[in-house]
Amino acid sequence: MKHELLITLDKQRPIPLSRQIYEQVRNAIHSGALSGGDSLPPSRTLANQLEVSRSVILQSYELLQAEGYLEMRKGAGTYITGLPVEEKDPQDSENPYNFITKGPDFLTLNPTSIIENDLNTVLCNFRHGVPAWDAFPMDQWQKALMNACRRASPDTLGYGPVEGSLGLRQEIARLLRSTRSMPVVPEQIVITSGATQALDILSRIFVSKGDHVIVEDPSHNVVREIFSFAGAVVTPIRVDLEGICVDELQASCDTIKEDPHKKPKLAYVTPSHQFPFGVTLSMKRRVQLLEWAKANQAFIIEDDYDSEYRYEGPKLSSLAGLDVEGRVIYVGSFSKVLFPSLRIGYVVLPPTLIQPFLAVKWITDRMSSALDQEALAEFIQNGHYARHVTQMGKLYAARRACLVKSLDAEFGSRVRYYGEEAGLHLLIELESNAEEHRIAELALRYGVRVYPASSYFVGSKPQGPVFLLGYSNLTENQIKMGVNRLMLAETEAAVSTRT
């Protein structure tokens, strides 16, 4: 027994002490405080703890064993066996909190978790949003962390500023000025626990029940749910090969302009590499979107998703870099470039939003890890970040080219892919009569995990099966093998559909 067993005896009660021990252990098993496999203290240890004779403990243990709660192993200890089968309530598995109705389904938001524990051996996992783990400069990162620890002061180890480390905000400001053409100062930047926290805080600031929020279609389910959970009416606007259709956005606003309370306050876009479609918002659409925000006194959330990696064509300025009206809120993250568990993101705010944002963050989270922030500031300042982005750009470009070539070789004209010019994933649409979840199921039997993507679409659904294929953490051999087995799975699924 690694821990004490909390038992309280009342020697004034007429109930025997052994019975009191029995009842408390039994109640602990029924409540779940003790479960099958847990050990109980040796009888002598518990007798000393409770200041009773050992025979009292043995009597209670023997009674529990007789009723099927305990197993007393000679020389090995006493263990909980769990609830006796006949005493299990068939309603125990039902949700006891069925009065809680607000909140999305976790498995709907995170479908990858459904198959995380699948028994099939996965040889190739096309999961998106993960970098190449083996190519990360861990030695330099470890050194930056050690230096941050050595420099740590009481201020660093205590409750730091809610806006985050000044050193990191200064480095981010320099980074954005040089790479994203943004005239930003550190005072506009707030460090967050990833981009998702920034979106959550913004939804709390802007959204009241019934407010309309514009979101791209397709888009990530989590984004829609963040705004829906805050009480917003999410209005999806179609994305084509030039990005969000601003004309349709304006037309949608015109239909509700007679009610000023329903005028959209926010539009969420991913202009650098639209998720999941992968297209880049054209310069013409960028200008139109900024004009729309000005005319409607709305704000734009620019999630600069995958802006670091572009393989074809010139990089375009960020929306925030074109904004002269203070209508763009820029959200960034280091999860895809470095590693997701770092949980450091940031938001660049127009001056009018800085204090409301800080107030909500202080209440809900207070601060992100100070040591990690200091380490990241040094990592950027010493040039490791820029070198890493350059090296990864070359590596990912080769893997992206391999994926496109493999898809062409296996599917020919039956595959159409989107977003190949940037980012860390492709969205592919197959010309097939097979159902996408059936293809994914069969692919897993071949040792390949792919991710159906039709759930990202709200309006017009793709005609054929669509999949999101991440390639950044796969070798070229894995990519070739994975695409070949995906083709085999699609062929098998199509044949079974016809028959």
Side-chain angles (χ1 to χ4, degrees):
M1 181 69 180
K2 297 180 180 179
H3 307 285
E4 286 189 359
L5 182 62
L6 179 59
I7 292 178
T8 304
L9 298 181
D10 184 351
K11 297 181 180 180
Q12 303 301 317
R13 293 176 64 192
I15 300 175
L17 297 179
S18 60
R19 185 72 187 185
Q20 292 185 43
I21 296 170
Y22 157 82
E23 288 177 351
Q24 291 183 53
V25 173
R26 184 179 183 276
N27 290 339
I29 295 172
H30 278 270
S31 70
L34 293 174
S35 57
D38 288 348
S39 63
L40 292 183
S43 55
R44 286 190 177 85
T45 301
L46 188 57
N48 291 335
Q49 175 191 328
L50 300 178
E51 298 180 347
V52 297
S53 68
R54 185 186 175 207
S55 61
V56 171
I57 307 300
L58 289 174
Q59 289 174 17
S60 61
Y61 279 10
E62 288 169 357
L63 183 56
L64 289 163
Q65 183 184 35
E67 294 187 3
Y69 292 102
L70 298 186
E71 178 185 1
M72 300 174 71
R73 306 172 191 170
K74 188 174 182 179
T78 302
Y79 295 86
I80 306 293
T81 58
L83 286 175
V85 175
E86 65 273 11
E87 292 198 30
K88 288 186 179 180
D89 189 336
Q91 295 182 348
D92 282 348
S93 60
E94 296 181 3
N95 177 17
Y97 309 112
N98 53 15
F99 58 88
I100 300 177
T101 58
K102 187 177 181 182
D105 181 358
F106 172 70
L107 295 182
T108 300
L109 296 180
N110 186 28
T112 59
S113 66
I114 299 174
I115 51 178
E116 283 299 317
N117 296 320
D118 197 284
L119 296 179
N120 292 283
T121 300
V122 177
L123 304 174
C124 176
N125 188 344
F126 283 106
R127 185 168 188 173
H128 66 277
V130 292
W133 309 115
D134 58 339
F136 181 72
M138 189 58 72
D139 289 343
Q140 288 88 344
W141 176 250
Q142 185 178 35
K143 184 177 179 180
L145 275 175
M146 291 177 63
N147 289 339
C149 291
R150 290 191 183 102
R151 293 192 304 266
S153 65
D155 289 339
T156 307
L157 299 177
Y159 289 104
V162 64
E163 62 269 26
S165 158
L166 175 59
L168 179 56
R169 289 185 289 121
Q170 289 172 333
E171 292 302 325
I172 292 173
R174 293 189 186 102
L175 195 65
L176 295 177
R177 287 196 296 266
S178 63
T179 64
R180 306 303 293 135
S181 300
M182 292 172 57
V184 58
V185 294
E187 289 74 21
Q188 292 177 263
I189 299 172
V190 177
I191 305 301
T192 61
S193 297
T196 305
Q197 187 191 42
L199 298 179
D200 176 59
I201 294 175
L202 290 169
S203 72
R204 296 170 189 246
I205 293 173
F206 279 96
V207 176
S208 298
K209 186 174 178 60
D211 287 341
H212 285 243
V213 173
I214 302 297
V215 173
E216 298 166 321
D217 183 20
S219 67
H220 203 298
N221 302 332
V222 170
V223 172
R224 293 196 295 263
E225 289 295 345
I226 285 174
F227 295 119
S228 295
F229 197 72
V233 176
V234 175
T235 302
I237 300 297
R238 184 173 64 91
V239 170
D240 64 15
L241 296 180
E242 288 190 66
I244 189 170
C245 298
V246 183
D247 291 342
E248 295 183 17
L249 164 58
Q250 184 59 58
S252 176
C253 292
D254 290 342
T255 62
I256 56 177
K257 66 181 181 180
E258 64 277 2
D259 185 348
H261 297 291
K262 292 185 178 180
K263 181 186 290 188
K265 296 180 179 180
L266 281 177
Y268 170 87
V269 294
T270 51
S272 293
H273 189 234
Q274 202 279 334
F275 184 89
F277 214 43
V279 297
T280 301
L281 186 64
S282 68
M283 181 57 72
K284 176 184 176 182
R285 297 272 180 91
R286 290 170 189 248
V287 173
Q288 289 178 333
L289 190 57
L290 290 171
E291 290 175 347
W292 168 84
K294 178 181 178 181
N296 291 272
Q297 296 185 318
F299 284 87
I300 300 168
I301 299 176
E302 177 184 12
D303 188 343
D304 210 16
Y305 190 86
D306 280 352
S307 66
E308 295 85 1
Y309 300 116
R310 186 166 188 83
Y311 316 118
E312 294 181 3
K315 278 190 175 183
L316 297 179
S317 171
S318 62
L319 270 178
L322 300 173
D323 178 31
V324 296
E325 299 290 334
R327 291 287 170 184
V328 177
I329 304 162
Y330 182 96
V331 175
S333 169
F334 294 96
S335 295
K336 306 298 186 298
V337 179
L338 302 182
F339 49 92
S341 67
L342 182 60
R343 303 315 304 146
I344 293 182
Y346 57 92
V347 58
V348 181
L349 297 161
T352 55
L353 297 179
I354 294 173
Q355 292 305 317
F357 191 97
L358 289 176
V360 176
K361 188 175 190 298
W362 190 88
I363 292 170
T364 59
D365 180 61
R366 184 59 192 268
M367 62 177 290
S368 303
S369 170
L371 289 176
D372 286 344
Q373 291 182 55
E374 295 296 332
L376 180 54
E378 178 180 314
F379 192 79
I380 298 173
Q381 186 178 40
N382 290 345
H384 299 311
Y385 179 84
R387 284 191 291 273
H388 181 60
V389 170
T390 300
Q391 292 169 2
M392 292 300 95
K394 296 175 182 178
L395 178 65
Y396 296 152
R399 292 178 177 181
R400 160 258 191 192
C402 177
L403 178 57
V404 170
K405 184 177 179 180
S406 299
L407 288 167
D408 287 339
E410 298 292 352
F411 292 97
S413 61
R414 294 196 305 116
V415 63
R416 187 176 183 185
Y417 37 81
Y418 306 89
E420 71 276 14
E421 71 274 7
L424 303 178
H425 72 261
L426 291 184
L427 182 75
I428 68 167
E429 181 178 1
L430 300 179
E431 183 182 315
S432 173
N433 64 342
E435 200 272 328
E436 64 181 29
H437 285 279
R438 178 58 177 164
I439 296 174
E441 178 184 333
L442 292 173
L444 192 56
R445 295 183 186 178
Y446 284 105
V448 176
R449 183 165 289 167
V450 294
Y451 298 89
S454 61
S455 64
Y456 294 119
F457 294 79
V458 176
S460 57
K461 299 277 187 177
Q463 293 183 343
V466 287
F467 299 95
L468 204 59
L469 302 182
Y471 52 81
S472 52
N473 193 38
L474 297 173
T475 66
E476 293 189 19
N477 286 335
Q478 285 178 307
I479 290 171
K480 294 174 184 177
M481 178 270 291
V483 173
N484 173 260
R485 296 192 180 191
L486 174 61
M487 181 273 295
L488 296 176
E490 185 275 329
T491 301
E492 183 178 341
V495 169
S496 63
T497 299
R498 288 195 294 269
T499 58

